[in-house]
Every structure is written in C-alpha cells, then in structure tokens.
Amino acid sequence: MSSDITVSDLKKTFAGGARRARSNAPLFDGLSLSITAGELVALVGPSGCGKSTMLNLVAGLDRPDRGEIRFDHGQADIDLSVVFQQPRLLDWLTVEDNIRVVFERDGKKKGNAAHITHDLLARVGLTEHAHTYPQFLSGGQRQRVAIARAFAISPDILLLDEPFSALDELTARRLRLLLQDLWLGEGHRPTGILVTHNMLEAAFLADRIYVLSGRPATFSSIIDVDLPRPRSLDDPVLFDVHRRIMQALT
Ligand SMILES: Nc1ncnc2c1ncn2[C@@H]1O[C@H](COP(=O)(O)OP(=O)(O)OP(=O)(O)O)[C@@H](O)[C@H]1O
Ligand SMILES: [Mg+2]
C-alpha cells in the first residue's frame, strides 16, 4: 500500500561553526508539503539547500527541530526504501543475496523471497549475475541491484537521492526508463520523492516538481508535469518543463 506524506511546518537547523554565521541559519523554517499516495515528486535546487536533509527527515534518519512528518498509517507500518547516489551494496554478498537481505527483517514476505528476487533480477536484466559479487559489476549494474533491492519489499515510500548522478549519461538514461517501468509495474505504486540535479530527469519521472531555494529554503516554484505514463525521455514537453525549472532557479 502506498502512503500519503504530509510535511508540516518543518524547522531544521544544523549547529554550524562559529566562524560562519550563515551556517547557523535554519535550513528550513516553516516548510510544508503534501504528497498524495502513489505520486512521485521531485525536489530540485542548489547544492546545500537541504534536499538530502529533507529525505533524511522523511526517512526518519534525522529529526526536525519543529514540525512533523506524517504518513497515512502509523510510522511503524511503513515500508520505506531509499536509493542513494552510491549503490551501498554489501561487498561480501552476491547480487542475489544483496536483494534477499531485505527480507530478513520482514517475516511476512520471507516465504516469497526467492520468487521476488528472481523476478526482480530478470526485470533489471541481471539474471546471469545472480551469483556475482558486486566488485565484479559495472557502476550501472551495481545501481540496478540497488534499485532492485529498493523494490523488493514493495515499498510504501521510495526515496531517491540523486540515484543516477554517478553514472554516464547513456547508462543513466537506461536506468531512468528502468525506474519508470518498475514503478509503473507495482500494484500499488510507492509514493516517491526524487532528489536530482538533472532537470530532464525530474520532468521525466515526476508528477510535480518542487524548486527549493534560499536559506531558510522555500519553494520558489511548484511545477506540475501533466503527462501520461509511460513517458518518453525525448518528449518535447520535458524540455519545456526543464526551461521552467531553470527560470525558477535563476
Ligand atoms: N549532519 C549534518 N551536520 C551538520 N550540517 C549538516 C549535516 N547534514 C547536512 N548539513 C548541512 O546542511 C546543508 C544542507 O545539506 P544537504 O545535504 O541537505 O544539501 P543538498 O541540497 O542535498 O545538497 P547537494 O545538492 O549538494 O547534495 C549543508 O550546508 C550541509 O553542510
Ligand atoms: Mg544532497
């Protein structure tokens, strides 16, 4: 089941060094946003404006100074997956076991672990590498394992922090399409938040794009991407959205 995400009146400050007064300014002060279950939204904005911090707060990896982040069922029931810029695989486990490892804390789905893993490996095109160790894979293959692992639990919420930015453009294009396929293929599409510096990627994947800027950060623009799915990476509408994001940022 996917879940609404409601962020209200968020305040977050990191204690900075005394030498730079600005670093003590709150990153967020009264920021709110609402994402409906099954939507995929993108957060874009300059480096350091707080995008990864926002994902960490939603993931529960960090706590706000004020405000709250609510899901539509209690936090304990939420299955949440995160894909980072680096694949963060366990080097001592094979590809297959890197995916299966997520079932260890989820008794319900354990019975299906072999089937789900097999199916996901096929969907990300890595069946022949099921027994390979990560060090023998390319960067794009490793990130495909990370994406497969994220989908293995059929997450309610999927957080993506620059998932393709460490890859060459051709591989990144392929993985954007793969992500769209996996996301569309879920019975209950996870509610997604994608952080990216690639504006075409944001336009391609998101239902709505939040342009963050300033300190404390505010949304300088919120852009709806009203395009049916599956989308094409070369749809001219994406370039129009790209132009609007850049206008909001400059
Ligand atoms: N754990 C932390 N302790 C202290 N300061 C932090 C911490 N995490 C982030 N910051 C600071 O908060 C600010 C926002 O960081 P964040 O990583 O959220 O930015 P970002 O928008 O994701 O940037 P980028 O696009 O470069 O990834 C930065 O100034 C950073 O130094
Ligand atoms: Mg970041």
Side-chain angles (χ1 to χ4, degrees), residues 94-246:
T94 62
V95 162
E96 184 178 79
D97 287 343
N98 262 283
I99 296 173
R100 288 185 73 143
V101 81
V102 302
F103 297 106
E104 276 172 19
R105 61 161 207 110
D106 192 344
K108 303 186 292 255
K109 292 175 186 157
K110 218 168 184 169
N112 294 326
H115 172 73
I116 294 172
T117 304
H118 185 265
D119 177 54
L120 273 169
L121 280 177
R123 288 163 76 193
V124 302
L126 286 176
T127 300
E128 69 195 46
H129 286 292
H131 304 297
T132 304
Y133 285 87
Q135 71 198 83
F136 301 111
L137 297 178
S138 70
Q141 288 171 326
R142 280 184 216 152
Q143 198 60 334
R144 277 191 266 161
V145 179
I147 292 169
R149 181 180 57 187
F151 276 91
I153 55 167
S154 298
D156 307 306
I157 293 176
L158 177 64
L159 305 178
L160 304 140
D161 197 352
E162 301 190 47
F164 311 126
S165 64
L167 304 172
D168 67 274
E169 185 50 24
L170 190 59
T171 307
R173 265 178 80 91
R174 290 191 178 130
L175 293 205
R176 286 174 198 129
L177 288 165
L178 173 67
L179 181 68
Q180 170 174 254
D181 287 349
L182 288 173
W183 187 73
L184 289 178
E186 287 290 296
H188 295 280
R189 290 175 196 163
T191 313
I193 307 181
L194 165 75
V195 167
T196 181
H197 286 286
N198 185 308
M199 307 314 167
L200 284 176
E201 177 177 302
F204 172 66
L205 287 169
D207 291 300
R208 193 163 58 259
I209 299 166
Y210 291 87
V211 183
L212 263 181
S213 60
R215 186 136 176 181
T218 54
F219 297 126
S220 53
S221 186
I222 300 173
I223 299 168
D224 286 312
V225 187
D226 194 12
L227 263 184
R229 294 187 174 92
R231 295 175 180 171
S232 155
L233 279 165
D234 301 310
D235 192 315
V237 172
L238 303 187
F239 295 88
D240 188 46
V241 174
H242 176 281
R243 190 177 45 74
R244 289 174 59 199
I245 300 171
M246 294 314 287

Side-chain angles (χ1 to χ4, degrees), residues 12-16 20 22-23 27-28 44-56 62 85 161-162 195-197 212 215:
K12 180 70 186 172
T13 311
F14 286 113
R20 285 177 38 219
R22 192 177 126 84
S23 61
L27 267 187
F28 310 120
V44 303
S47 179
C49 73
K51 303 178 299 295
S52 296
T53 302
M54 174 68 84
L55 287 198
N56 288 340
D62 199 353
Q85 189 173 6
D161 197 352
E162 301 190 47
V195 167
T196 181
H197 286 286
L212 263 181
R215 186 136 176 181

